[in-house]
Amino acid sequence: MTEQQASQRVSELHRLLTTYNHEYYVMDQPSVPDVEYDRLMRELILLEAEFPQLKQADSPSQRVGGEALKAFTQVTHQIPMLSLDNVFSPQEWQAFAKRIEERAKSANTIAFCAEPKLDGLAVSLRYENGYLVQAATRGDGAVGENITENIKTIKAIPLKLSGEIYPSVLEVRGEVFMPKASFEKLNEAAIKKGEKTFANPRNAAAGSLRQLDSKITAKRNLSFYAYGLGFVSEQVQGQVEQNWLATSHYQRLQQVKLLGLPVCPEVKLLDDADQVEGFYQHILQTREALDYEIDGTVFKVDDIRLQEKLGFVARAPRWATAYKFPAQEELTTLDDVEFQVGRTGAITPVARLSPVFVGGVTVSNATLHNQDEIERLGIKIKDTVVIRRAGDVIPQIVSVVLDKRPDNARTIEFPTRCPVCQSDVLRLEGEAVLRCTGGLYCGAQRKEAIKHFSSRKALDIDGLGDKLVEQLVDEKLIQTPADLFSLTELDISTMERMGQKSAQNLVQAIEKARHTTLAKFIYALGIREVGETTAANLAQHFLTFDAIKDADEDALQDVPDVGKIVAKNIVQFFAQAHNVEVVEALEGIMTWPDIIVKTEAQQPLKDLTYVITGTLSQMGRSDAKAYLQSLGAKVSGSISAKTDYLVAGEKAGSKLTKAQSLGVKVLTEEDLIALLTEHEVSL
Ligand code: 9MJ
């Protein structure tokens, strides 16, 4: 490529990248996907490396960061960067508005520019002759740090102003922030790499801007909204009319937007102070849906001449105030940690906190999730913690204030036995949670265990619904599945909405359930991760219940579909005295026929894979599955090129379409019945 060709292409790439950036960040209307932007950026960087003389002051390639700095230099703000006073209630707002009205000494109503209060970092951007030449933090308001290289990596900030008309020197002020989605991604990545996470998007934005190496900042996906001006020169380039700069704050923000800087789309011009409460409430209600953190609203006198007349006190203007939301983060102490056992046996550490008012409610408990979370936080009992409650989300412990750790702070000890039933607890490989192995026995899991035991795919006890199980357990009529078999009609008829007839029917249904199959019995025990198929495979492989109970992990792993984790679950289950007690009681009550070992000839569908879909009219899908399995077939849940037959009932959907597209043979329900009859399966 000649230099002339390269120069043309560089200009073209500048134009495209700048346009795409503007569409994305200022107009909120991207016209190309991110990959296209990345491709063009790479092309530009390569061209500039080959022809360094073509690198321009406003080249979009600066977005990727440059050489690391040794330290930040200082910048004295030509006009101080003000901060804002706060109000927290309608009364305080009204008092503020009244003071302004009195000072304004005018009968005119006062219009306010209403803005969300972004929770990021205030910066001042200086454009000279349209080019971004300097960017600084607020610092103490008078002197800040020079963060130009970092700011240039923020794609929302133009390196050159758009259009032809702008003051020769223009300082734009606004907030750099990290969108919530980027913050979450950044923290997820940090957790994966075992690195420290940021407590909130504000800290993440601050940490990213404080990097001496702008290449790191470039990877952080920061954004920016402008909300004001600093120094503005009187001289305006390309000026066609006098007084280019508007005298309304709101209009000035529109001018800034036309120059290519993003302005928060929620910004509104309010006619008078009475509309303020409505704006505040509206933003408070919609806050969760915004992709950036805010901690309140800001109201500014719109008329710049009135702003000048009002002036400022100390470091804050008299013409503006923040109207803040109730704090979402507060400090409190962790008084203790207790362990709750959930319905699935998961043991969750729960933080007992000194009550604290945060996010509009008093919080005294918070989940600590699991052991990993406790290690990540590095938290001890008696620590001072930052607690956060955002919207309707459950309160979270965000971080620990290590400076405040007392000498008697205690390490959080995890239980080795279930706090409810004293069974062993187990943390499985690849799982973050501890689980109680009590299963059938554990009080916390009892109701679930009995519901599972009697469910349709297990013992299918008709008339024993979830509500009834709960009542029976609450009334202490049953404690384990074995107790079901000693329930009398009288016991049942004392339950709510249980007539004599339904009690009688239920006793009969329970009696019927005494006779089952080995596979269903194993499934009914509710061993973790032992589903119907695994239960059937275990039965086929071991043939007797005793053999399954006695099998070690290695022997169990010889069974199709049984891996290390499932094998461990099974061994653990039968190692618990409590489970053995219940299982032995059940063995004394229940019966199942011996499994007859099938010869090759009795397994005519061996090596064939079936999938069943849609509604069958003569039998349930799980019956159809069991029939096919009894003939040696494998029944799978999803269609692939390896599927031999799809049995398609009524209203078959995407599986049928997929089977047809893969050329898998399709059977109707009649075909299936014919097949089963041919092989003498009694339906
Ligand atoms: C924030 N943080 O969103 C101001 N701010 O105006 C808005 N901060 C401000 N305005 C003057 N929207 C000083 C600070």
Side-chain angles (χ1 to χ4, degrees):
M1 189 183 270
T2 66
E3 181 170 343
Q4 197 194 352
Q5 284 168 325
S7 165
Q8 261 180 14
R9 183 61 184 157
V10 164
S11 303
E12 176 69 2
L13 289 168
H14 269 213
R15 197 181 59 73
L16 288 171
L17 288 164
T18 308
T19 307
Y20 295 156
N21 237 341
H22 188 264
E23 285 172 353
Y24 189 96
Y25 287 99
V26 183
M27 311 308 291
D28 248 346
Q29 256 180 356
S31 64
V32 293
D34 293 353
V35 286
E36 173 66 1
Y37 180 92
D38 295 342
R39 248 193 307 268
L40 298 178
M41 180 65 90
R42 264 196 306 277
E43 187 184 346
L44 176 62
I45 291 169
L46 288 176
L47 272 178
E48 286 178 345
E50 197 179 336
F51 302 96
Q53 65 278 26
L54 296 179
K55 187 161 178 168
Q56 293 171 21
D58 62 336
S59 171
S61 64
Q62 296 170 83
R63 304 294 195 193
V64 298
E67 297 269 299
L69 302 176
K70 294 253 177 330
F72 293 120
T73 55
Q74 292 202 325
V75 172
T76 303
H77 298 298
Q78 197 163 348
I79 293 181
M81 285 184 80
L82 302 174
S83 54
L84 293 168
D85 271 342
N86 299 315
V87 297
F88 288 92
S89 67
Q91 293 73 27
E92 286 180 15
W93 162 256
Q94 279 152 18
F96 172 86
K98 194 156 164 249
R99 278 201 301 278
I100 290 188
E101 276 160 24
E102 283 167 6
R103 282 181 181 270
K105 295 197 188 83
S106 154
N108 297 342
T109 53
I110 297 172
F112 287 91
C113 183
E115 306 167 10
K117 185 166 186 302
L118 305 156
D119 200 9
L121 276 98
V123 296
S124 186
L125 312 175
R126 188 176 170 98
Y127 288 89
E128 289 180 5
N129 303 320
Y131 288 92
L132 176 65
V133 294
Q134 190 178 69
T137 60
R138 201 179 83 86
D140 63 4
V143 180
E145 280 179 329
N146 185 337
I147 50 162
T148 315
E149 293 315 309
N150 291 346
I151 288 291
K152 281 184 174 173
T153 68
I154 301 176
K155 293 184 200 143
I157 296 177
L159 301 171
K160 180 165 188 305
L161 298 175
S162 327
E164 307 295 327
I165 306 171
Y166 37 72
S168 356
V169 180
L170 174 71
E171 282 183 5
V172 178
R173 281 158 184 192
E175 202 86 350
V176 168
F177 58 92
M178 184 175 288
K180 288 181 196 164
S182 313
F183 165 73
E184 268 148 33
K185 265 197 212 148
L186 181 67
N187 267 359
E188 273 167 28
I191 290 172
K192 266 200 196 129
K193 285 193 243 159
E195 292 170 0
K196 260 188 96 85
T197 53
F198 288 106
N200 53 47
R202 197 198 119 81
N203 288 6
S208 306
L209 267 193
R210 228 180 276 125
Q211 296 290 337
L212 288 167
D213 181 355
S214 54
K215 285 204 166 64
I216 298 180
T217 317
K219 295 198 181 102
R220 292 292 172 82
N221 198 24
L222 297 170
S223 196
F224 173 84
Y225 280 139
Y227 53 64
L229 296 176
F231 177 77
V232 186
S233 64
E234 293 203 356
Q235 194 192 351
V236 174
Q237 297 202 345
Q239 181 165 358
V240 274
E241 51 188 307
Q242 287 266 292
N243 303 328
W244 173 84
L245 198 58
T247 56
S248 143
H249 174 78
Y250 181 82
Q251 289 306 332
R252 284 186 175 184
L253 293 184
Q254 306 314 307
Q255 288 183 300
V256 164
K257 189 169 170 184
L258 284 173
L259 295 177
L261 286 135
V263 171
C264 175
E266 306 299 323
V267 170
K268 267 204 174 63
L269 183 59
L270 307 182
D271 295 335
D272 59 55
D274 292 342
Q275 294 181 3
V276 158
E277 191 61 27
F279 182 85
Y280 170 89
Q281 287 298 337
H282 165 72
I283 297 291
L284 181 60
Q285 300 310 321
T286 47
R287 164 189 207 178
E288 292 305 316
L290 300 175
D291 189 32
Y292 40 90
E293 289 272 4
I294 56 173
D295 58 351
T297 46
V298 180
F299 299 97
K300 298 174 180 169
V301 168
D302 188 57
D303 180 349
I304 303 285
R305 280 167 302 202
L306 181 51
Q307 283 188 4
E308 284 162 1
K309 184 168 162 187
L310 292 165
F312 48 88
V313 272
R315 291 206 207 128
R318 279 209 192 91
W319 44 264
T321 190
Y323 185 172
K324 301 257 292 238
F325 297 148
Q328 288 189 315
E329 286 188 3
E330 259 301 348
L331 289 180
T332 188
T333 50
L334 175 65
D335 294 336
D336 203 357
V337 174
E338 286 171 18
F339 293 88
Q340 277 180 355
V341 188
R343 295 184 314 151
T344 59
I347 296 179
T348 315
V350 180
R352 302 289 178 218
L353 304 162
S354 293
V356 60
F357 191 74
V358 57
V361 298
T362 300
V363 171
S364 40
N365 300 310
T367 173
L368 278 164
H369 301 287
N370 53 47
Q371 217 160 353
D372 291 350
E373 174 76 354
I374 288 176
E375 276 164 28
R376 194 181 67 75
L377 289 167
I379 193 170
K380 290 189 175 193
I381 294 168
K382 303 278 178 243
D383 263 340
T384 296
V385 296
V386 178
I387 171 110
R388 178 178 173 79
R389 183 185 177 270
D392 292 333
V393 181
I394 52 169
Q396 300 280 337
I397 294 178
V398 179
S399 58
V400 174
V401 186
L402 285 177
D403 288 351
K404 292 184 186 263
R405 175 168 285 172
D407 292 340
N408 64 349
R410 281 188 286 127
T411 305
I412 298 167
E413 301 282 358
F414 270 74
T416 51
R417 301 202 152 267
C418 169
V420 174
C421 73
Q422 308 303 319
S423 299
D424 290 345
V425 298
L426 187 69
R427 180 172 172 173
L428 292 176
E429 264 174 52
E431 273 201 35
V433 291
L434 283 179
R435 279 184 200 279
C436 162
T437 53
L440 294 178
Y441 179 84
C442 178
Q445 299 168 70
R446 201 170 281 159
K447 288 177 183 171
E448 295 314 305
I450 299 172
K451 285 180 202 169
H452 175 80
F453 186 79
S454 55
S455 66
R456 203 171 50 76
K457 290 181 188 171
L459 298 185
D460 195 16
I461 303 179
D462 232 10
L464 185 60
D466 289 357
K467 284 268 157 10
L468 186 54
V469 170
E470 283 172 23
Q471 278 184 58
L472 290 165
V473 175
D474 290 341
E475 296 296 324
K476 302 213 164 40
L477 283 169
I478 53 173
Q479 297 203 324
T480 74
D483 298 337
L484 284 172
F485 297 97
S486 27
L487 280 176
T488 64
E489 275 176 36
L490 187 64
D491 290 337
I492 298 168
S493 59
T494 59
M495 297 293 109
E496 262 172 55
R497 284 191 294 278
M498 269 289 153
Q500 211 183 337
K501 184 72 195 151
S502 22
Q504 202 178 354
N505 288 344
L506 181 53
V507 169
Q508 276 173 14
I510 294 173
E511 178 56 26
K512 197 172 134 212
R514 284 196 332 121
H515 310 288
T516 183
T517 62
L518 177 56
K520 287 198 180 204
F521 179 68
I522 297 165
Y523 173 72
L525 294 179
I527 304 168
R528 274 192 71 71
E529 300 194 41
V530 176
E532 270 181 300
T533 309
T534 308
N537 291 344
L538 285 163
Q540 277 296 332
H541 183 89
F542 288 105
L543 305 174
T544 69
F545 186 59
D546 282 341
I548 298 171
K549 264 194 312 191
D550 295 341
D552 62 14
E553 284 184 34
D554 284 343
L556 286 164
Q557 285 186 59
D558 288 339
V559 177
D561 284 346
V562 176
K564 214 164 140 192
I565 291 175
V566 178
K568 207 178 190 131
N569 284 342
I570 298 169
V571 170
Q572 272 290 331
F573 182 89
F574 290 115
Q576 294 297 315
H578 307 314
N579 289 340
V580 173
E581 206 176 290
V582 178
V583 165
E584 280 177 358
L586 287 171
E587 282 182 288
I589 301 166
M590 301 186 62
T591 60
W592 48 85
D594 289 339
I595 295 175
I596 297 152
V597 187
K598 292 206 165 145
T599 59
E600 286 272 327
Q602 285 166 314
Q603 297 210 300
L605 306 187
K606 198 164 181 288
D607 300 327
L608 292 178
T609 302
Y610 285 72
V611 173
I612 309 168
T613 191
T615 314
L616 302 176
S617 60
Q618 314 271 323
M619 63 187 100
R621 278 215 299 261
S622 55
D623 296 329
K625 180 173 172 179
Y627 292 144
L628 287 167
Q629 283 173 335
S630 74
L631 296 173
K634 195 166 169 249
V635 181
S636 157
S638 56
I639 299 270
S640 74
K642 292 199 189 119
T643 312
D644 295 294
Y645 293 99
L646 174 74
V647 178
E650 289 287 310
K651 299 206 187 94
S654 60
K655 283 188 188 158
L656 178 57
T657 327
K658 188 161 178 200
Q660 285 161 341
S661 72
L662 287 172
V664 170
K665 282 171 238 120
V666 177
L667 302 182
T668 62
E669 185 173 357
E670 285 85 64
D671 296 335
L672 174 67
I673 292 172
L675 176 75
L676 297 174
T677 320
E678 178 193 334
H679 292 296
E680 296 173 356
V681 174
S682 50
L683 300 179

